[in-house]
Amino acid sequence: MIRSLWKRYHAVALVYRIGAAFVLGSAVGLTVGEPATALTPLGDLFVRLLSMLVVPTIVFTLLSGLQQLRPETLGRIGGQVVAIYAVTSTIAVVIGLGVANLVDPGAGFELEEAAATPAAATPVEPPTLTEVLLGVVPTNPFGAIADADIVAIIFFVVVFGLALLLVAERTESAAVRDGVTAIRNSSEAGAEAMFVIVWGVLEYGVVGVFALMASVFARVGADAILPFALLMVTLTAAVVLHVTDVYLLGIMMVFVHCSPLAFLNGSRTALVTALSSSSSSATLPVTVRNAQERLCVDKSVYGFSLPIGATINMDGTVMYQGIVAIFAANLAGVQLSVGEQIIVVFLAVLASIGTPGIPSAGLVMITLVLTQLGLPLEVVGFVAGVDPILDRLRTMVNVLGDLAVTVLVASVNDAIDMTGGAWNE
Ligand code: ASP
């Protein structure tokens, strides 16, 4: 009996089980309230398990992906990835500002009222541009690994991977060549092992996502959400517009000439994980698995584009900056000029480069934008109350953006198999 139930449970695709856990968990959190916060450790365990895989996934996939590239190809692919990330992020923040100007969230709402809502987080000092740029180079690669400093890890692994390519090309010694091959084979094996672990973690994700959602909604509660309804509507409208126009119509239909539905289908496990974990970095192992197995992208592209995308490409987050800037201006009773809105575009895109893909990182960026515009920082505390919900939506767009650009760059460089995986279902 138990066996047949288990079998039936397993017959349902994992992504649907996780989706159902998401909906049920949210409902339980909203109805049960406070006692549901007891489930928090079960949810935290899921995010910890995913986070555990991030650094090894980056090191193994990047190292094995690099071995299939020539240095000049890496330069070309890297350039394309970073340039397209910058373009899609700029479009995202412009869409965010456009929709926010139309909907005008926060208009007619007094800041005093707003500030009365308890702040859930204290804003952290954002890093300066120089700090961000210098931070790319680790003083100690093992320290970067220990601190999970993704950009610094990527920098070192790329340099090391390129050096290995040169060594293999130039060496006269068979032993050294064997050593390079051993590193290459080990990193391939390591990447495969990570996929196996991700699969196991996602099985636990059914429980983890249920617990995460139940505890979030138990903490935030329906009452706290209501005053922010318009802010959520604005973000949702901007997200739908960006995903449809840029990823589905623009990238998939016009540039890649493929089915947008197949793309969404191939990305779905990563999307559900992003929605539940609020972290593009923690989702990375799942994103990588979707790129490999469902979207059939070659490691040489996703091994670079996805880890880098998880930190520098945040379309949902930058779009949110534009929306909150308008929201804050409305609360403060001021109008943002076109010039000020252009500053928001640049600031948000630049700041997103240094912002890690972790829960509520977008709040830190908001401090930067509001300070620059001279808008009241209390707004950060105000939106922090509902951030656990808005963050999920942003993170989902951040991850989908990474995958869309990865598919585009892979198709331009002939590094995708459009006859397999989700493309052929
Ligand atoms: N949580 C988001 C991410 O990990 C960043 C943000 O707070 O917007 O991508």
Side-chain angles (χ1 to χ4, degrees):
M1 166 76 179
I2 291 181
R3 242 184 148 186
S4 89
L5 271 181
W6 183 248
K7 253 192 166 164
R8 270 212 235 148
Y9 168 79
H10 261 271
V12 179
L14 182 63
V15 68
Y16 295 126
R17 283 184 271 144
I18 295 185
F22 186 91
V23 176
L24 280 178
S26 310
V28 166
L30 283 173
T31 45
V32 176
E34 172 63 23
T37 53
L39 294 170
T40 307
L42 291 180
D44 289 348
L45 175 62
F46 177 52
V47 178
R48 284 185 83 103
L49 285 167
L50 283 173
S51 307
M52 167 182 92
L53 302 176
V54 172
V55 172
T57 301
I58 295 176
V59 174
F60 289 135
T61 51
L62 199 50
L63 211 50
S64 55
L66 280 172
Q67 300 307 312
Q68 299 158 20
L69 280 181
R70 313 268 6 105
E72 42 307 343
T73 323
L74 174 73
R76 194 184 65 228
I77 290 182
Q80 287 169 356
V81 165
V82 173
I84 303 174
Y85 278 158
V87 171
T88 55
S89 294
T90 309
I91 298 175
V93 62
V94 171
I95 288 181
L97 280 166
V99 175
N101 276 304
L102 279 180
V103 181
D104 244 355
F109 210 66
E110 290 294 309
L111 189 60
E112 280 73 30
E113 246 177 273
T117 308
T122 336
V124 189
E125 231 4 79
T128 65
L129 188 60
T130 323
E131 279 167 358
V132 169
L133 293 178
L134 276 179
V136 171
V137 183
T139 46
N140 171 1
F142 295 101
I145 286 178
D147 295 339
D149 183 348
I150 296 182
V151 175
I153 297 174
I154 292 173
F155 181 82
F156 180 75
V157 175
V158 167
V159 172
F160 180 66
L162 289 179
L164 277 181
L165 283 176
L166 289 181
V167 168
E169 223 170 73
R170 292 178 186 167
T171 186
E172 308 263 290
S173 149
V176 171
R177 212 169 300 116
D178 287 350
V180 174
T181 310
I183 295 180
R184 180 179 306 173
N185 293 345
S186 313
S187 45
E188 292 257 12
E192 291 297 321
M194 287 303 126
F195 286 152
V196 174
I197 306 177
V198 169
W199 184 84
V201 172
L202 284 177
E203 278 295 329
Y204 171 71
V206 180
V207 177
V209 166
F210 177 86
L212 272 175
M213 296 320 295
S215 52
V216 161
F217 276 103
R219 246 180 290 130
V220 176
D223 301 348
I225 303 171
L226 283 181
F228 296 92
L230 210 51
L231 186 66
M232 289 193 193
V233 168
T234 315
L235 180 63
T236 312
V239 161
V240 171
L241 205 64
H242 185 66
V243 169
T244 319
D245 286 358
V246 180
Y247 303 155
L248 303 184
L249 292 176
I251 296 187
M252 295 308 146
M253 289 182 76
V254 177
F255 288 109
V256 184
H257 304 296
C258 67
S259 152
L261 289 182
F263 168 66
L264 287 178
N265 182 19
S267 313
R268 61 190 190 183
T269 322
L271 293 183
V272 178
T273 312
L275 198 64
S276 336
S277 69
S278 304
S279 165
S280 355
S281 294
T283 308
L284 186 62
V286 185
T287 320
V288 163
R289 204 182 118 164
N290 271 178
Q292 153 118 1
E293 290 173 359
R294 308 278 301 142
L295 299 171
C296 309
V297 175
D298 198 82
K299 232 184 234 122
S300 58
V301 173
Y302 78 69
F304 175 76
S305 66
L306 291 179
I308 204 113
T311 28
I312 73 164
N313 184 49
M314 299 187 165
D315 291 1
T317 305
V318 291
M319 160 183 287
Y320 186 60
Q321 307 303 308
I323 295 171
V324 174
I326 302 283
F327 180 68
N330 280 338
L331 288 186
V334 295
Q335 187 91 36
L336 286 188
S337 67
V338 175
E340 284 171 319
Q341 298 199 24
I342 292 176
I343 293 180
V344 174
V345 173
F346 284 108
L347 214 55
V349 174
L350 279 180
S352 72
I353 296 173
T355 309
I358 55 172
S360 287
L363 274 185
V364 181
M365 281 171 63
I366 291 175
T367 325
L368 188 86
V369 173
L370 296 184
T371 312
Q372 184 68 31
L373 297 174
L375 289 170
L377 285 181
E378 288 96 307
V379 176
V380 181
F382 188 28
V383 290
V386 281
D387 202 60
I389 296 167
L390 300 178
D391 196 5
R392 287 160 206 282
L393 204 55
R394 304 197 294 262
T395 310
M396 209 170 74
V397 181
N398 293 349
V399 168
L400 194 63
D402 297 343
L403 281 169
V405 174
T406 298
V407 167
L408 174 59
V409 172
S411 99
V412 169
N413 291 283
D414 223 357
I416 187 166
D417 173 13
M418 284 287 183
T419 59
W423 305 115
N424 199 22
E425 274 173 8

